[in-house]
Amino acid sequence: MDRLSDARALLPWQAGCIRLDTLTVEALLCLRHLEDEEGFERLTCRPVHLRGADELRIRYQTALEDPATLICGVYLRGTLRPVGKLTASNYNSRNRSAEVGYFLAPPWRGKGLMRQALSVLCSMLLLEFGLNKLYAQTGAFNAPSIRLLERVGFRQEGILRQHHELNGVLWDDAIFSLLQQDYTPDPKRPAGAGR
């Protein structure tokens, strides 16, 4: 359990109408294009750097090979093109924790797909891989993201004041976490879901 990338061995993972599976650099570039259309700077509080396709390709290849990172695609069952992605990064093997992030293409939002996908990732990382803690950060203005985290079982544990600039306004960022001891798998997850 020294490498979060070892969790890739658990993929593909299926539940309901979604499948978590590996991604290619090209698929990540397609998803990034969708993020950019929506306004990537709105989705992250981290500095946004304009990068060309070649530079992004190198960064994504490096991320896919990073032992402290897991990136998986969210696929609808029976399809080959991802509709979103989940990441687990900033892996700390000492306290067995990782930060999660998520993106779902706009046409697929509001259908419960990301809740199902994030629940699957939590089950996979907390129950199968043995992490103790998952945490996430989201802007206080992002009510759908906050509801998603709460519905999956994350609890708010802090606020980073005026941490997220958006359209000239400094918003707070909320920090959420989910401990293995507090995690209850989604009761809607079909029996026998998994590999």
Side-chain angles (χ1 to χ4, degrees), residues 144-160:
S145 182
I146 290 169
R147 277 193 308 275
L148 168 69
L149 291 168
E150 291 172 343
R151 286 179 177 154
V152 173
F154 283 76
R155 296 182 190 170
Q156 185 175 323
E157 63 177 42
I159 294 286
L160 296 172

Side-chain angles (χ1 to χ4, degrees), residues 121-135:
L121 183 72
C122 291
S123 290
M124 196 174 93
L125 293 177
L126 295 173
L127 305 179
E128 301 292 326
F129 190 69
L131 289 187
N132 179 58
K133 179 179 182 174
L134 297 173
Y135 60 95

Side-chain angles (χ1 to χ4, degrees), residues 69-142:
T69 301
L70 174 68
I71 305 173
C72 23
V74 177
Y75 298 82
L76 297 178
R77 192 175 279 233
T79 65
L80 299 176
R81 292 188 71 181
V83 296
K85 68 178 178 176
L86 291 159
T87 61
S89 59
N90 298 320
Y91 174 56
N92 183 324
S93 62
R94 289 184 66 199
N95 66 14
R96 299 182 353 259
S97 69
E99 181 177 9
V100 296
Y102 38 87
F103 171 77
L104 189 65
W108 302 104
R109 294 181 188 161
K111 302 174 187 328
L113 297 174
M114 187 50 76
R115 178 181 179 188
Q116 191 174 41
L118 185 56
S119 293
V120 169
L121 183 72
C122 291
S123 290
M124 196 174 93
L125 293 177
L126 295 173
L127 305 179
E128 301 292 326
F129 190 69
L131 289 187
N132 179 58
K133 179 179 182 174
L134 297 173
Y135 60 95
Q137 182 175 323
T138 190
F141 59 85
N142 195 342

